[in-house]
Amino acid sequence: MATYPTLSAGIGHTPLLRLRQASEATGCEILAKAEFLNPGGSVKDRTALGLVDDAEARGLLRPGATVVEGTAGNTGIGLSLLGNSRGYRSLIVMPDTQSREKIDALRAAGAEVKLVPAAPWTDPNHYAATARRLADEMNARHPGSAWFANQFDNLANRQWHEDHTGAEIWEQTAGKIDGFVCASGTGGTIAGVGRALKARALEARDRAARSTDVVVALADPAGSALANYVTTGEAKAEGSSITEGIGNARLTANFLDAPIDVAWSIPDTESIPEIHRLLRHEGYGVGLSSGVNIAGAIRLARHLGPGHTVVTVLCDSAMRYQAKLFNPAFLREKGIEVPTWLDAAFPG
Ligand code: PMP
């Protein structure tokens, strides 16, 4: 059995799980990367490793420095754990709307956490702009003391997904994959995986080993502008969502070159039942971005028709959102239907 010398060796190479209900409902094989099994509990460990390895290679990040990032939480958790393993401090700026569990995980990991009110990305007090400013201030005082990871626009994010996540999916399906679908936060996952799969499909077509492309679809939460951008060319947001870590009002550098063929806006009323069903009937506890991805996979399967293989991502774990997504009182307050079994599990 292989042993891992450090944390970073344990990041990635996650299993591909068959989603039984989604597969049976559509007549397709719906498979999902179990990203909640990463050491920090989310797909964003991959991003953290990609960004840090790249910065070290470029000489931008030196031992003892502070990694500074603006994040919905998961990238911060990945960066902080990696920082503990490699000798960096972490300063994490996040909106105060994110789950308690993520904030607690960051503090337990030893990160300095700065919570800021949620603000539009054009606002100088937006969490990402704040992180950049704090890093600049630290570097002005002590040059080289801080490194701003910049996950939204640093293309090392997308590149890691292209080199690893996408390559893993192609290998695990032995190239028998017709579609890939996921939501976009920074865009690193969809752009990197999309590019990797399309390049391999093209290469296989050149060898006459297959006849079709891999269709890449965006599952966008309500309240995000990205689905509209893909469909109409206009980045216009409508509605709202309680999802965390996905959706965007702007086109990040990582998202811009994502090879997306089709996009859907997914309402919470469609994604939330997916995570409840998955936990109750298949035993996988996942967060709501995974629910958006499963709903997107079902839409993509219907779009392609029976007999196809569709891959998506289970980004993080239910444990990160226990007090919201699996709490009848919270769900009811948001006007979301509570399954009878969940209601019965929390009497009073
Ligand atoms: N799901 C969750 C839970 C996340 O935290 C994120 C990243 N913010 C994503 C999905 C989106 O991934 P990406 O940034 O690669 O688009």
Side-chain angles (χ1 to χ4, degrees), residues 272-297:
I272 292 175
E274 293 301 343
I275 62 170
H276 290 156
R277 271 197 285 274
L278 189 69
L279 176 60
R280 188 63 174 174
H281 300 293
E282 297 183 60
Y284 299 122
V286 297
L288 191 49
S289 69
S290 306
V292 171
N293 288 354
I294 297 168

Side-chain angles (χ1 to χ4, degrees), residues 44 74 184-189 244-246 289 315-316 321:
K44 303 303 300 210
N74 280 331
S184 173
T186 64
T189 310
E244 296 185 27
I246 55 171
S289 69
C315 309
D316 66 358
Y321 310 93

Side-chain angles (χ1 to χ4, degrees), residues 50-62 147 154 156:
L51 296 170
V52 167
D53 274 352
D54 180 71
E56 286 177 348
R58 290 174 196 268
L60 302 171
L61 179 57
R62 300 210 179 81
W147 168 69
N154 183 341

